[in-house]
Amino acid sequence: MGKVGFGMAVGIAVVTCTVAAAVVGKRLRSRRKWRRMVGVLMELEEACGTPVSRLRQVVDAMAVEMHAGLASEGGSKLRMLLTFVDKLPTGCEKGIYYGLDLGGTNFRVLRVHLEGRRSNILRHEIELMPIPQHLLTGTCEDLFDFIASSLKRFVDDEGKNDSGPSSTLSRRELGFTFSFPVRQKSLTSGFLLKWTKAFSIRDMNGKDVSELLQQAMTRVGLDMRVAALVNDTVGTLAVGHYNDEDTVAAVIIGTGTNACYLERADAIIKCQGLLTASGSMVVNMEWGNFWSSHLPRTRYDIELDSESRNPNDQGFEKMISGMYLGDIARRVILRMSQESDILRPASSRLSTAFSFGTQLLAAMHQDDTPDLREVARILKDELGIPDVSLKVRKLIVHVCDIITRRAARLAAAGIVGILKKIGRDGSGGVAGGGRVKGGPSGSGAIIMRRSVVAIEGGLYTGYTFFREYLNEAVAEILGEEFAPYVTLQVTEDGSGIGAALLAASQSSVAAAVDR
């Protein structure tokens, strides 16, 4: 081989080695990038861990905080508000009753026709009515006059659509769901603390919202009585109890979250001497503000809280509700993109707080296509991340699963915490009395009572994985001996039908029927 040939061979060898080294280097760099992304995932999975031992600690903490909130005002993160609802629908109610649901820039009015047969609402009609923009910042009299006039037009149709003895009543009963912060003084009286959402009516703060509605109905010539002022969670409990008398609690898990339950009157220590005809009262927990050191909080939760409108508030809600789960996922994906350029380029939307909704997280999580094409579409269209490999898409789905699973299992722990407080979890609860020792033979056996928890909200009803994880966790916490005694029952329209049912259960007409 001549010098020229030898030189060419050496050159080729050098080029080959250089190319090989470049390929190997690229592979090594790619592996390092992938390992960094996997590292973020593994760190998240460990931080979000919810073994049953931890969930039972959350259960205990919830029950203790409930007890503290009932003992004194400000004694707990849980407000444990009295609702003054001491009589829930039984299914024996008869007649026509109305509900008014005011919670945003639209309000709903509805009419239910009850025939006294449990689980059978003979008929109900609903009408959605928008509130003119100028009334959102006008006067309270103008707002309630508009609502009362709309309600009167709706009531005037009663004779056209209904027949029977109930439709001849001159005085009608109304359940009023008012989804704004109020300080409730009685079943039919509550004072507005502050407006939220798009409302800003200055002359209404500190006024009794039921009285304002009652006065407006009188002005328009509508003979109707506000029989109950409630929130949507209490309405959910009412619907659940109407359908099943073993319903003891209600939970809403949607965009926001809350819970209420039926408590013994003598356990509400902060209101000593509280007397009710039934010996019990529904308590509105406002459980979104629950907090415990046992909750598995991550760096993403801390960042989300600091950038939210209400830092250091609603900690439990920020870990389990639909308003926040999507943003937790966005923050994890953002960190993955910072650790590795595999998820680049990305648009500014990936860095924008609260720009990624939980419905998108659910859509990615529930994508059952072989190539996860919906995950690819969402990453591209919503976060500006194109050309994501299938391997990385699977990683993103795993992120969604971890966040959803933690949320559902923590919500489950909260539910069991309520059952523990009232002695319905098989442990006796904080207050005791939930299990009866001593069977017929005095053997010390535990006799459990059936307990139903009514659940409403799109996160539970519309997100299959969330619902399955929550149900699974409730059974896991309770154990196979006691889990069969607890039923989680999907309920609909507590803010509407529930309000009307509470009007029925509280009205003089219902009392006459019961007698």
Side-chain angles (χ1 to χ4, degrees):
M1 178 183 296
K3 291 183 179 180
V4 174
F6 179 76
M8 289 180 63
V10 170
I12 292 171
V14 169
V15 170
T16 301
C17 290
T18 301
V19 171
V23 171
V24 171
K26 185 176 181 180
R27 287 177 178 173
L28 288 174
R29 286 193 298 274
S30 178
R31 287 174 183 173
R32 283 195 294 268
K33 293 173 184 177
W34 173 252
R35 282 198 296 268
R36 285 197 291 268
M37 289 185 66
V38 172
V40 172
L41 178 73
M42 293 177 65
E43 178 188 286
L44 175 72
E45 190 163 31
E46 182 178 357
C48 288
T50 51
V52 70
S53 57
R54 168 170 262 175
L55 293 179
R56 286 177 176 149
Q57 290 175 320
V58 175
V59 167
D60 292 341
M62 179 68 79
V64 168
E65 286 296 307
M66 291 171 69
H67 187 75
L70 292 173
S72 63
E73 291 292 346
S76 166
K77 280 277 194 179
L78 298 174
R79 296 188 66 186
M80 305 301 285
L81 302 174
L82 302 188
T83 66
F84 299 93
V85 173
D86 64 347
K87 182 182 179 184
L88 289 167
T90 63
C92 298
E93 294 80 8
K94 292 183 179 180
I96 295 176
Y97 299 92
Y98 288 82
L100 169 62
D101 177 17
L102 176 60
T105 54
N106 297 300
F107 68 95
R108 294 187 306 148
V109 294
L110 67 152
R111 172 173 47 238
V112 298
H113 189 171
L114 308 175
E115 281 295 302
R117 295 188 295 273
R118 180 181 295 281
S119 300
N120 180 35
I121 297 175
L122 184 66
R123 182 168 62 255
H124 73 275
E125 302 101 54
I126 299 175
E127 187 170 334
L128 180 68
M129 301 182 181
I131 299 175
Q133 193 69 28
H134 71 277
L135 293 180
L136 303 179
T137 56
T139 67
C140 59
E141 184 172 310
D142 289 341
L143 173 65
F144 280 97
D145 279 352
F146 175 77
I147 292 172
S149 296
S150 302
L151 182 57
K152 185 176 187 302
R153 286 194 298 272
F154 183 77
V155 170
D156 286 343
D157 290 335
E158 180 183 307
K160 303 173 186 176
N161 302 320
D162 292 312
S163 61
S166 296
S167 63
T168 63
L169 293 173
S170 60
R171 189 170 181 83
R172 298 165 178 82
E173 307 288 340
L174 174 75
F176 183 16
T177 299
F178 186 74
S179 299
F180 299 92
V182 297
R183 182 176 68 254
Q184 201 148 349
K185 293 297 185 180
S186 71
L187 178 63
T188 60
S189 175
F191 295 83
L192 178 70
L193 296 177
K194 65 176 180 179
W195 283 112
T196 57
K197 303 163 189 174
F199 286 84
S200 180
I201 301 174
R202 294 183 180 180
D203 69 341
M204 190 167 159
N205 288 340
K207 292 186 178 180
D208 186 337
V209 295
S210 290
E211 184 177 336
L212 289 171
L213 177 60
Q214 195 73 64
Q215 291 171 350
M217 290 191 295
T218 300
R219 284 194 295 270
V220 300
L222 176 59
D223 191 7
M224 180 176 282
R225 181 180 76 96
V226 177
L229 176 67
V230 298
N231 72 6
D232 51 0
T233 316
V234 178
T236 298
L237 179 59
V239 174
H241 200 271
Y242 179 84
N243 292 325
D244 192 323
E245 64 183 355
D246 289 330
T247 303
V248 296
V251 177
I252 291 181
I253 311 176
T255 303
T257 185
N258 193 16
C260 69
Y261 73 105
L262 198 59
E263 180 62 273
R264 298 191 335 268
D266 61 6
I268 307 175
I269 302 171
K270 62 185 177 183
C271 294
Q272 291 184 354
L274 178 67
L275 298 175
T276 66
S278 64
S280 60
M281 181 177 288
V282 177
V283 174
N284 171 19
M285 293 174 61
E286 294 293 336
W287 85 344
N289 204 39
F290 168 69
W291 188 253
S292 166
S293 60
H294 298 300
L295 293 174
R297 199 181 198 200
T298 69
R299 59 185 291 172
Y300 309 106
D301 299 304
I302 295 170
E303 292 169 0
L304 182 152
D305 179 62
S306 67
E307 294 178 31
S308 69
R309 295 179 179 179
N310 53 343
N312 302 313
D313 195 24
Q314 298 296 102
F316 193 51
E317 181 172 76
K318 288 171 182 173
M319 298 178 81
I320 72 170
S321 80
M323 183 175 290
Y324 300 102
L325 298 188
D327 195 64
I328 297 173
R330 179 196 63 79
R331 291 172 188 274
V332 177
I333 296 171
L334 174 62
R335 184 168 173 229
M336 285 181 166
S337 74
Q338 293 168 340
E339 292 289 330
S340 167
D341 61 8
I342 293 177
L343 286 173
R344 297 177 194 166
S347 75
S348 59
R349 283 171 288 178
L350 183 58
S351 302
T352 304
F354 308 107
S355 61
F356 192 75
T358 297
Q359 74 277 9
L360 298 172
L361 173 145
M364 293 198 299
H365 191 194
Q366 298 182 131
D367 184 359
D368 58 0
T369 58
D371 57 352
L372 298 177
R373 67 174 68 98
E374 181 66 7
V375 176
R377 184 196 68 78
I378 290 172
L379 290 174
K380 179 181 178 181
D381 294 350
E382 303 296 335
L383 296 176
I385 308 173
D387 305 321
V388 178
S389 70
L390 181 59
K391 183 170 71 170
V392 174
R393 280 177 251 164
K394 290 179 179 179
L395 203 71
I396 298 299
V397 171
H398 198 171
V399 168
C400 297
D401 185 73
I402 292 170
I403 294 167
T404 300
R405 189 171 189 269
R406 180 189 69 163
R409 289 173 69 82
L410 290 179
I415 290 171
V416 179
I418 297 173
L419 296 174
K420 181 180 181 67
K421 170 63 182 71
I422 59 177
R424 296 290 189 112
D425 71 326
S427 71
V430 171
R435 57 181 183 174
V436 181
K437 292 186 177 181
S441 62
S443 61
I446 297 173
I447 302 175
M448 283 287 292
R449 288 172 289 176
R450 178 173 177 269
S451 302
V452 178
V453 178
I455 304 185
E456 188 172 344
L459 198 59
Y460 183 81
T461 61
Y463 191 173
T464 303
F465 287 144
F466 184 95
R467 181 173 62 254
E468 290 176 349
Y469 281 145
L470 189 152
N471 294 348
E472 175 188 82
V474 167
E476 190 178 341
I477 298 166
L478 290 170
E480 61 181 20
E481 182 180 359
F482 299 116
Y485 293 95
V486 174
T487 299
L488 305 180
Q489 183 62 52
V490 171
T491 305
E492 295 181 356
D493 200 11
S495 60
I497 293 175
L501 290 175
L502 282 166
S505 67
Q506 305 299 326
S507 72
S508 56
V509 177
V513 170
D514 289 345
R515 286 196 295 270

